[in-house]
């Protein structure tokens, strides 16, 4: 009998809803902001040397929260330089939110925005068809490699677009996070349907070493309050479980034994920490900065 479990990406509205709830309960964006504030200035220290224009490519830019912070750091490092910021993002709703954010921001002079409503694979195919080989000074891929068909090939392609002083920044869930524990153990039971692959910062070094690329690794601590996942019938808890398992209505469609095991796993040390009666999932991130 076919499993009633369905991948969350087949319902874009529920996916976005669960993702936004996850971000609300999580310190993920805060930990990225801290990285942008503290470490990014060193990463971008030479990307614009001697240039009057800096080309930035955001692959999977989402609604632009982190993008705009990255751009403000580049602008601060290279005042007066024109920045061309191209965004590759398949969700029309996310692009719309990104455009609203840009319209409301006050410090974006000298930055030109171009949005491409397409996936990373579609962008690559279009560039190849148009025989375009534009070089970029900074490319970032934040939390998006889970959604490409061939991760090593995608990383190699975007790395090939780097100019001589450029950097490729990749952010993924950490190999030391609760994600790694949950997905390594139960990922094969989740309905991935070719829409999603589990990859963490622990998997990237092998790929980069195989390609002979130089890189630096950073660990970003982050946690998410998943207490509601343990309250039977709690709507937010059900949404969070959907996001954690990439499954629509996981609570209602997963086999009871899988549900029981997963709930048990989520409480385990290393996966989560219990403080003041609340359960905080270890949602730490890994950052990989790849040299040209």
């Amino acid at each position: 009998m076919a499993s009633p479990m369905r991948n969350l990406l087949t319902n874009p509205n529920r996916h976005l809803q669960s993702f936004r709830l996850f971000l609300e309960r999580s310190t993920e964006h805060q930990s990225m902001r801290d990285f942008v504030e503290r470490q990014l200035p060193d990463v971008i220290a030479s990307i614009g040397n001697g240039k009057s224009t800096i080309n930035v490519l955001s692959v999977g830019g989402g609604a632009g929260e982190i993008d705009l912070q990255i751009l403000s750091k580049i602008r601060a490092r290279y005042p007066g330089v024109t920045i061309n910021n191209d965004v590759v993002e398949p969700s029309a709703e996310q692009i719309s939110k990104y455009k609203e954010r840009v319209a409301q921001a006050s410090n974006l002079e000298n930055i030109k925005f171009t949005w491409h409503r397409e996936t990373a694979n579609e962008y690559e195919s279009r560039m190849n068809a148009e025989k375009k080989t534009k070089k970029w000074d900074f490319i970032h891929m934040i939390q998006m490699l889970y959604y490409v068909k061939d991760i090593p090939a995608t990383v190699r392609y975007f790395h090939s677009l780097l100019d001589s002083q450029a950097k490729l920044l990749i952010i993924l869930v950490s190999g030391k996070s609760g994600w790694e524990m949950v997905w390594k153990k139960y990922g094969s039971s989740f309905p991935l349907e070719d829409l999603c692959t589990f990859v963490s910062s622990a998997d990237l070094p092998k790929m980069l070493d195989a390609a002979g690329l130089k890189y630096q690794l950073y660990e970003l601590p982050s946690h998410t309050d998943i207490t509601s996942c343990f309250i039977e019938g709690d709507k937010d808890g059900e949404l969070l479980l959907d996001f954690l398992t990439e499954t629509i209505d996981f609570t209602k469609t997963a086999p009871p034994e899988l549900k029981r095991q997963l709930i048990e796993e989520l409480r385990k040390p290393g996966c989560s920490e219990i403080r003041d009666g609340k359960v905080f999932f270890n949602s730490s991130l890994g950052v990989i900065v790849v040299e040209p």
Side-chain angles (χ1 to χ4, degrees):
M1 197 176 89
S3 166
M5 294 168 78
R6 288 285 168 268
N7 187 280
L8 188 56
L9 289 169
T10 59
N11 184 333
N13 287 340
R14 190 163 175 92
H15 180 261
L16 205 51
Q17 200 186 348
S18 64
F19 172 57
R20 286 191 178 140
L21 178 64
F22 171 80
L23 285 182
E24 269 173 41
R25 301 283 170 92
S26 155
T27 60
E28 178 168 299
H29 272 189
Q30 188 54 53
S31 70
M32 286 188 206
R33 281 194 286 270
D34 291 345
F35 174 83
V36 168
E37 204 54 47
R38 294 172 192 161
Q39 273 118 347
L40 190 70
D42 287 341
V43 172
I44 60 169
S46 60
I47 63 168
N49 285 355
K51 299 196 168 193
S52 57
T53 302
I54 294 174
N55 295 317
V56 178
L57 181 62
S58 164
V59 188
E65 300 100 315
I66 304 300
D67 283 24
L68 295 192
Q69 283 151 16
I70 289 172
L71 290 169
S72 76
K73 285 292 166 210
I74 296 174
R75 203 168 148 268
R77 174 68 183 81
Y78 302 99
V81 166
T82 298
I83 299 170
N84 291 324
N85 184 65
D86 278 38
V87 181
V88 175
E89 168 55 52
S91 163
E93 191 177 343
Q94 293 285 71
I95 288 176
S96 175
K97 288 261 186 299
Y98 197 139
K99 288 179 176 177
E100 279 171 33
R101 209 167 242 116
V102 168
Q104 288 159 9
S106 57
N107 60 342
L108 300 177
E109 54 272 19
N110 300 345
I111 304 178
K112 296 174 182 170
F113 290 87
T114 308
W115 287 272
H116 306 277
R117 190 189 163 193
E118 56 196 352
T119 64
N121 292 343
E122 286 163 353
Y123 175 84
E124 181 180 345
S125 300
R126 182 168 63 82
M127 289 296 121
N128 289 336
E130 293 172 10
K131 298 195 166 32
K132 286 187 179 168
T133 51
K134 181 173 179 176
K135 291 289 183 182
W136 300 88
D137 302 301
F138 190 63
I139 300 176
H140 55 90
M141 310 166 83
I142 298 176
Q143 294 285 52
M144 57 68 63
L145 278 178
Y146 322 108
Y147 310 114
V148 302
K149 292 276 187 283
D150 185 335
I151 294 165
T154 298
V155 171
R156 279 197 305 273
Y157 170 72
F158 285 101
H159 178 266
S160 76
L161 305 181
L162 293 178
D163 213 344
S164 57
Q165 299 287 313
K167 294 283 191 291
L168 168 62
L169 174 85
I170 298 169
I171 300 184
L172 288 168
V173 298
S174 166
K176 298 171 183 170
S177 67
W179 293 108
E180 183 87 352
M181 287 180 69
V182 165
W183 278 79
K184 283 283 180 310
K185 207 162 186 179
Y186 299 107
S188 59
S189 302
F190 301 151
L192 300 184
E193 295 166 23
D194 283 340
L195 295 170
C196 177
T197 309
F198 179 73
V199 58
S200 75
S201 64
D203 301 308
L204 260 284
K206 292 182 274 250
M207 296 178 198
L208 298 171
D209 290 341
L213 301 177
K214 290 184 184 165
Y215 54 90
Q216 282 102 37
L217 297 171
Y218 304 82
E219 197 72 20
L220 308 187
S222 173
H223 59 261
T224 305
D225 183 348
I226 60 166
T227 312
S228 57
C229 291
F230 305 93
I231 302 166
E232 196 69 40
D234 187 290
K235 291 283 172 252
D236 283 353
E238 290 176 1
L239 257 185
L240 283 172
L241 282 169
D242 283 11
F243 189 72
L244 292 171
T245 61
E246 282 286 331
T247 304
I248 301 169
D249 286 328
F250 175 82
T251 306
K252 298 182 178 74
T253 62
E257 185 56 18
L258 175 62
K259 185 182 159 187
R260 186 193 65 73
Q261 288 176 359
L262 181 83
I263 292 288
E264 206 173 273
E265 188 74 24
L266 287 173
R267 283 188 182 275
K268 287 184 181 171
C271 196
S272 297
E273 191 185 345
I274 297 172
R275 296 197 306 267
D276 303 326
K278 291 189 169 182
V279 184
F280 292 96
F281 179 68
N282 176 352
S283 53
S284 294
L285 302 167
V287 177
I288 301 102
V289 177
V290 191
E291 306 287 331

